[in-house]
Amino acid sequence: ARVVVQLAHRNICGVFDVGRAEGRLYVAMEHIVGRDLRTVAQRERLPIAIAIHIVNEVLEALDYAHRFVDATTGQSLGLVHRDVSPHNVLLGVEGDVKLIDFGIATSVRQGPLTARGDVLGKLTYMAPEHARGDQVDGRADQFSAAVTLIELLTGQGHYDGLSRDQAWALSGVGGHRPLAYATIDAELRTILDRALEPSREARYPSCSAFAEALTGWALSHGLFADARSVRQLMLTRFGDVAAEARGAYRTFVSVAPPAMAEVTGPASQWESIATTMMVAPPTTGLDAPRSSAELRDTRSGPKAPVRSGRTPLLVAAAAGVLLIGVGVTTAVAGRSAPVA
């Protein structure tokens, strides 16, 4: 959480605050009004241009994370997401593409295994070195992004039709292609094949280079999509999602604890104050003290004092409400994602 809270990129779901309230860890995250890519793709096959645009946006987020320099040390962290899949890509109703769930992200200095030696992630999207439990770098995420794009283009999972044992055996070796892969344009397959090379040294040097190759192919074939294309797609297929977000906020107002009303005053002020809390600068540590704070209501002007120790509780309440919304995840210390 201390690492992810530093990430600030248009294609990464923002983490505004992390901390501890009443003995429980919390993560306050950006609320994305939309749907995850898996849900969208299951509705119907995406147009090729939109599929490539979405994956290119994910690749931009990954490239940023891979190059990220820790503000406290000045050193590159070599972050690797390790769980790139349609489940962890959110499409907003305004056409934004957001990569979420860095919950099992790792630094190349730490290696890809937990203390127990478990390999974390989703088997069907893993690069061979990841599945084998070898050390991973950003090129493992590149492999996963390529698998995601193939799934969007073909409507077929990478190991569809195979047993779990067969998928495990193939995943650590690489080279497998789903049956529908042959339906993809030959030039595009050449680009994808490089990103799917069993040896990471043979893949593109970065996710940005992979994205550049995809963009070049799309433009050469007269294919173009952008945020407006995704926005139209979302409004057409999921026009009710914005209403869901409004319903989530109404639920927040109805269940807010008395302490919230005591601090913020009339219910009409809750929205602006909660928003101010979540865009405040992140804490420097999970247990950073909060002796006092003032939150400004941008509509009425006066400041509402917050009592000592209240801010983490309020942010936790706001974060809890965000869980009702679409596409928000939380990371809890000591829990790991099972191989799926």
Side-chain angles (χ1 to χ4, degrees):
R2 290 190 180 98
V3 171
V4 177
V5 77
Q6 299 181 56
L7 300 180
H9 189 275
R10 63 185 176 85
N11 296 125
I12 295 178
C13 181
V15 176
F16 297 122
D17 196 16
V18 296
R20 193 186 310 272
E22 298 182 343
R24 301 179 63 182
L25 296 174
Y26 68 85
V27 178
M29 304 178 72
E30 178 183 6
H31 183 190
I32 310 299
V33 181
R35 289 286 189 272
D36 66 271
L37 180 56
R38 180 178 177 82
T39 298
V40 173
Q42 284 179 333
R43 184 71 63 93
E44 64 182 83
R45 191 82 57 83
L46 294 178
I48 296 176
I50 292 181
I52 290 178
H53 165 72
I54 290 171
V55 172
N56 273 347
E57 294 287 271
V58 172
L59 289 169
E60 286 298 315
L62 291 170
D63 185 69
Y64 166 82
H66 298 161
R67 295 182 290 101
F68 186 76
V69 175
D70 189 346
T72 59
T73 66
Q75 297 179 349
S76 174
L77 287 177
L79 287 175
V80 186
H81 187 283
R82 293 199 298 174
D83 200 14
V84 177
S85 69
H87 314 68
N88 288 332
V89 177
L90 297 183
L91 304 183
V93 290
E94 288 301 317
D96 44 327
V97 178
K98 298 279 189 174
L99 179 63
I100 67 170
D101 204 355
F102 277 79
I104 65 170
T106 187
S107 163
V108 294
R109 296 195 296 270
Q110 296 172 328
L113 302 180
T114 65
R116 297 177 301 169
D118 297 331
V119 177
L120 302 179
K122 297 180 180 68
L123 169 65
T124 52
Y125 300 92
M126 285 184 187
E129 65 273 20
H130 186 178
R132 292 193 302 265
D134 296 342
Q135 189 177 52
V136 296
D137 61 19
R139 290 168 291 187
D141 287 340
Q142 178 187 143
F143 184 101
S144 301
V147 172
T148 296
L149 179 55
I150 293 171
E151 185 173 323
L152 297 179
L153 296 176
T154 65
Q156 186 176 59
H158 201 61
Y159 297 106
D160 277 4
L162 301 179
S163 68
R164 185 177 178 82
D165 289 341
Q166 289 173 322
W168 263 119
L170 291 170
S171 64
V173 177
H176 176 74
R177 301 290 186 274
L179 292 176
Y181 188 67
T183 64
I184 298 176
D185 175 85
E187 292 180 23
L188 182 54
R189 289 204 309 268
T190 299
I191 295 171
L192 291 167
D193 283 339
R194 181 174 178 183
L196 293 172
E197 283 284 353
S199 170
R200 61 185 176 189
E201 286 75 19
R203 297 173 202 155
Y204 292 95
S206 66
C207 282
S208 180
F210 180 26
E212 184 176 354
L214 291 174
T215 300
W217 177 87
L219 293 178
S220 70
H221 287 74
L223 299 173
F224 174 79
D226 57 11
R228 288 171 294 183
S229 309
V230 178
R231 180 171 66 244
Q232 185 59 43
L233 173 78
M234 295 301 294
L235 291 176
T236 300
R237 300 185 189 179
F238 301 100
D240 60 338
V241 72
E244 291 182 15
R246 290 192 294 272
Y249 178 72
R250 286 194 296 271
T251 300
F252 166 57
V253 172
S254 67
V255 302
M260 191 71 172
E262 177 185 342
V263 173
T264 62
S268 61
Q269 295 182 9
W270 291 0
E271 180 178 6
S272 62
I273 292 177
T275 301
T276 303
M277 284 189 291
M278 285 186 285
V279 299
T283 59
T284 56
L286 289 178
D287 295 303
R290 301 283 190 88
S291 59
S292 63
E294 287 188 336
L295 304 175
R296 179 183 297 275
D297 185 326
T298 56
R299 290 174 295 179
S300 59
K303 297 179 181 180
V306 178
R307 297 179 181 178
S308 175
R310 278 288 173 84
T311 304
L313 178 58
L314 296 182
V315 179
V321 172
L322 291 186
L323 297 180
I324 302 172
V326 179
V328 179
T329 61
T330 58
V332 180
R335 299 182 62 182
S336 58
V339 175

